[in-house]
Amino acid sequence: MSRTDLPTRAINTLRTLSIDAVQQASSGHPGLPLGCAPMAYTLWQRHLKHDPSVPKWFDRDRFVLSAGHGSALLYSLLHLTGYDLALDELKQFRQWGSRTPGHPEWHDTPGVEATTGPLGQGAANAVGMAIAERYLARTFNRPGHEIIDHTTYALVSDGDIMEGVACEASSLAGHLGLGKLIYLYDANQITLDGPLSLVMDEDVGARYAAYGWHVLHVDHGDTDLEAIDAAITAAKADTARPSILIIRTTIGFGSPRKAGTSAAHGSPLGEAEVAATKQALGWDPAAKFLVPDEVRAHMAEGGKRGAQAHADWDAKLAAYRAAHPELAAQLELAIRGDLPAGWDQGLPEFALGSAAVATRSASGKILAALTARIPWLFGGDADLGGSTKTIVPGGDYTRTGEGRNLRFGIREHAMGAIGNGLLYHGGVRPFVATFFVFSDYMRPPVRLAALNKMPAIFVWTHDSVGLGEDGPTHQPVEHLMALRAMVNLCVFRPCDGNEAAAGWRYALNKTHGPTALVLSRQDLPIVTQPGAPGAERGGYVLADGTDAIIIATGSEVAVALAARDDLAKLHVSARVVSMPCWELFAAQPQSYRDAVLPPAQHRRVSVEAGVTFGWREHIGDRGVAVGIDRYGASAPGELVLEKLGITAAAVAEAVQRTA
């Protein structure tokens, strides 16, 4: 091995560890680690504030590998800088049970800040992290006690830059002037299929300047560490704008046959090319997973500086506790993800039989009460706050970091990913809101929240064809079932204001997995007692009967109760089961589920203003599902529901057919 300077040896160690991991797995992306190792080394060794011995230290800088296909580079960084990620884990890259999956996973690997699978998600997550940092700094810092003060970095690729979610998030970041957000853009001009020129030839710097970003260029990112260092330094100095460093690199740098081509992107180099690449880098071509002792010692220095920064922060936190004990107690509660004592006491209640109210409106009153008691409950909507009723008191979130109402604009996809970023960061409990039909625009971040078992809260209103005149483009039909199919996501569709309060209690108490609160536009009668006893179990007997069972959710619970009254006139005694959350009901003991839905009772009817697919699980082969197996129509909501058969008469007739 040639005796190059120590930084170059460290960079080449990152490169060779990464290509060895990919080659051993016979799977992966070697090109990005070979090209991005210099920028990653410079950031981690000279700038990133982190403590490998305490990966979750709260005031650390965040580093997001949005280009998650280059995960071998991140794992090499984590190993060399002292995280609990053994060399054997790199040798098990992409294998069953390893802590080095193909794309980084937040819940698997210490030091991984976000699960970045689909391109663009990590770029948007980083925006959420920067928003959280600014909000917490504004809320908790006091003169002489800057207890929250860190930077969020994201390594983004050409693919990230093209994805719509990153464009949406970058636009919002520029609007908010997130000066502690820095993108390192690996501008290698290559995609999986070939040269970037096949699909894009725009001036990315000009685009980001138009977004309101600080744009810097590094022309020789393969070798010019000083230029990379200077660009990062300049980016950190501009606290009024987010920064993007456009760093020209060579994908697959060092590979004699594949450098600068798409062949280096998504497939192992091959044993012969790995050896040739190592030789070109001045490395022993026969050595595998080689970490020179001097490189290991050198790469540990950044972690040692971070450990000292952590110790200094602990001292600052002690002084902060002494000077501002109440604020410190609140901050520590927020960091732990706990809720204040009594947070759910005295929430709005709705008397049985009182005036009808849309569950979106009831939810708005409940949310206002909750935000008054939970200072770190934080969120917003996609330009629909007046409709979703999710505008929280305290003003809009601004460039100063004050305000808890985050206006995402018409950026649903980014909104979901930014919400996840807020959760990844910690210290805030976010919610995001829009119309239910637009959950389609949010599915990737919803799925990632579910995959990570993150306690995200999605508020989706205008939940059925009952929204009326806007017509089928805005009327969700298949969405309830599509989202119920998503593993770990709990879909809670309340029938009235009391069940809406139960849904919020459930969502905020939940620490593992996301919750969807699916709410009505139209007013609904209050049919439950305050507290909605039984709603916390996902399904319960609302009105008893012996001859048949009607199962309903949301706005159709009132329809089921009306059908029960009609059936009583025919001497048929029907039980009405409200089932606001299938997933929660399924988690109950079998004995409870059998008590609610007795197995011997085969006369079962379901009623829900959506597709009937899936209801056989609860009504069996002999039951009847009343629903809408078509798209809606543009007309007043009550008329649409009537014309599409969501009526008490239709439900009563279905019950009679089960006899």
Side-chain angles (χ1 to χ4, degrees):
M1 184 188 308
S2 64
R3 300 303 297 175
T4 53
D5 63 277
L6 188 53
T8 300
R9 290 202 298 279
I11 290 166
N12 287 340
T13 303
L14 290 169
R15 286 168 163 155
T16 56
L17 282 178
S18 299
I19 62 174
D20 280 343
V22 170
Q23 191 60 41
Q24 180 140 315
S26 296
S27 176
H29 298 73
L32 184 146
L34 286 168
C36 289
M39 72 173 80
Y41 165 85
T42 305
L43 174 64
W44 281 61
Q45 198 67 1
R46 302 184 185 180
H47 295 274
L48 194 71
K49 182 177 68 172
H50 64 121
D51 182 358
S53 65
V54 187
K56 296 298 184 183
W57 165 40
F58 195 71
D59 201 43
R60 69 194 182 278
D61 289 342
R62 271 61 169 180
F63 172 77
V64 178
L65 181 67
S66 189
H69 55 276
S71 59
L73 174 61
L74 178 55
Y75 302 144
S76 299
L77 283 163
L78 294 172
H79 171 71
L80 288 179
T81 54
Y83 285 81
D84 181 21
L85 193 69
L87 189 61
D88 282 347
E89 292 288 352
L90 272 67
K91 296 176 181 178
Q92 291 299 308
F93 179 55
R94 291 183 165 226
Q95 303 307 301
W96 181 272
S98 77
R99 302 169 84 187
T100 50
H103 290 75
E105 294 182 29
W106 173 67
H107 53 278
D108 272 2
T109 313
V112 169
E113 298 284 8
T115 298
T116 53
L119 287 171
Q121 291 294 315
N125 296 156
V127 173
M129 294 176 187
I131 289 171
E133 192 275 346
R134 176 185 282 176
Y135 174 73
L136 292 169
R138 173 75 184 198
T139 302
F140 292 105
N141 286 355
R142 293 297 181 268
H145 297 279
E146 285 70 34
I147 204 70
I148 305 296
D149 183 12
H150 52 265
T151 301
T152 299
Y153 300 91
L155 196 164
V156 302
S157 65
D158 289 312
D160 292 291
I161 292 295
M162 281 189 277
E163 288 285 2
V165 62
C167 300
E168 293 177 18
S170 298
S171 173
L172 182 61
H175 170 71
L176 293 174
L178 295 174
K180 289 188 176 179
L181 172 65
I182 299 173
Y183 284 178
L184 286 76
Y185 169 28
D186 172 29
N188 63 38
Q189 305 294 296
I190 295 293
T191 67
L192 189 62
D193 277 352
L196 182 65
S197 58
L198 291 174
V199 293
M200 189 178 90
D201 53 13
E202 69 198 49
D203 184 335
V204 172
R207 168 150 65 96
Y208 271 78
Y211 286 150
W213 286 55
H214 179 202
V215 180
L216 302 109
H217 294 267
V218 176
D219 294 331
H220 304 289
D222 296 327
T223 55
D224 195 345
L225 304 189
E226 298 312 312
I228 296 170
D229 180 51
I232 297 172
T233 300
K236 289 163 64 178
D238 188 339
T239 58
R241 298 175 292 175
S243 295
I244 182 169
L245 284 55
I246 300 177
I247 305 175
R248 289 300 302 267
T249 66
T250 302
I251 192 170
F253 178 85
S255 170
R257 294 176 57 248
K258 298 185 178 182
T261 74
S262 61
H265 192 299
S267 301
L269 296 177
E271 292 288 356
E273 190 67 9
V274 166
T277 302
K278 289 177 180 177
Q279 189 161 13
L281 295 173
W283 215 250
D284 180 355
K288 293 186 177 181
F289 296 99
L290 174 63
V291 180
D293 292 341
E294 69 275 15
V295 168
R296 189 175 295 282
H298 175 61
M299 292 298 289
E301 292 171 5
K304 290 177 182 176
R305 287 193 297 272
Q308 183 58 56
H310 185 183
D312 294 343
W313 186 80
D314 284 343
K316 288 171 63 176
L317 182 60
Y320 180 70
R321 285 195 196 102
H324 304 283
E326 291 186 6
L327 274 176
Q330 276 195 1
L331 174 60
E332 290 171 349
L333 200 66
I335 290 172
R336 290 198 303 271
D338 293 336
L339 297 168
W343 66 272
D344 63 343
Q345 299 302 305
L347 295 181
E349 295 182 341
F350 303 85
L352 180 65
S354 61
V357 60
T359 51
R360 62 168 176 156
S361 299
S363 171
K365 295 176 181 177
I366 295 158
L367 179 59
L370 289 168
T371 53
R373 297 167 192 181
I374 309 171
W376 47 94
L377 181 57
F378 179 94
D381 60 89
D383 197 52
L384 293 169
S387 295
T388 60
K389 309 300 182 185
T390 50
I391 296 178
V392 300
D396 291 339
Y397 179 91
T398 67
R399 287 172 173 253
T400 67
E402 62 186 334
R404 296 162 64 187
N405 185 64
L406 183 53
R407 294 189 182 273
F408 287 97
I410 307 162
R411 303 180 178 100
E412 293 90 349
H413 194 171
M415 178 177 71
I418 290 169
N420 285 350
L422 291 163
L423 276 171
Y424 285 133
H425 182 278
V428 292
R429 192 65 193 276
F431 66 89
V432 296
T434 189
F435 289 170
F436 189 34
V437 75
F438 300 143
S439 63
D440 284 339
Y441 281 179
M442 300 174 64
R443 285 188 69 89
V446 174
R447 182 177 185 272
L448 287 169
L451 186 154
N452 285 319
K453 299 182 180 179
M454 299 167 69
I457 300 173
F458 303 100
V459 180
W460 288 318
T461 69
H462 296 58
D463 67 343
S464 76
V465 298
L467 72 87
E469 291 87 346
D470 276 338
T473 62
H474 281 55
Q475 293 170 353
V477 175
E478 73 276 22
H479 297 69
L480 282 165
M481 287 305 178
L483 287 161
R484 284 171 180 152
M486 194 174 286
V487 179
N488 296 333
L489 174 66
C490 283
V491 180
F492 203 106
R493 186 178 185 235
C495 72
D496 66 4
N498 294 317
E499 280 196 357
W504 272 107
R505 282 192 177 95
Y506 172 71
L508 284 166
N509 270 315
K510 191 176 183 184
T511 58
H512 292 84
T515 303
L517 298 175
V518 183
L519 309 171
S520 75
R521 175 184 185 267
Q522 71 271 33
D523 289 342
L524 303 179
I526 304 302
V527 297
T528 67
Q529 296 287 347
E536 75 280 359
R537 306 192 78 167
Y540 62 103
V541 177
L542 182 58
D544 210 356
T546 57
D547 297 331
I549 301 173
I550 306 172
I551 313 168
T553 78
S555 50
E556 288 68 68
V557 171
V559 175
L561 289 168
R564 178 178 183 269
D565 292 342
D566 290 348
L567 288 164
K569 297 172 186 176
L570 301 173
H571 307 291
V572 177
S573 173
R575 168 180 286 193
V576 172
V577 171
S578 177
M579 192 176 288
C581 183
W582 282 29
E583 299 81 11
L584 190 50
F585 183 69
Q588 302 306 309
Q590 186 69 49
S591 58
Y592 175 79
R593 287 181 281 142
D594 287 347
V596 174
L597 300 175
Q601 180 54 270
H602 297 292
R603 296 188 66 186
R604 299 185 184 188
V605 170
S606 65
V607 53
E608 186 172 69
V611 296
T612 58
F613 176 81
W615 271 108
R616 290 291 164 203
E617 177 180 349
H618 297 298
I619 64 174
D621 291 339
R622 292 158 64 178
V624 177
V626 176
I628 304 174
D629 290 315
R630 53 157 284 180
Y631 294 109
S634 180
E638 290 185 4
L639 181 61
V640 176
L641 288 164
E642 177 187 340
K643 292 292 187 181
L644 297 183
I646 306 299
T647 65
V651 174
E653 189 274 333
V655 170
Q656 291 175 289
R657 279 192 281 132
T658 64

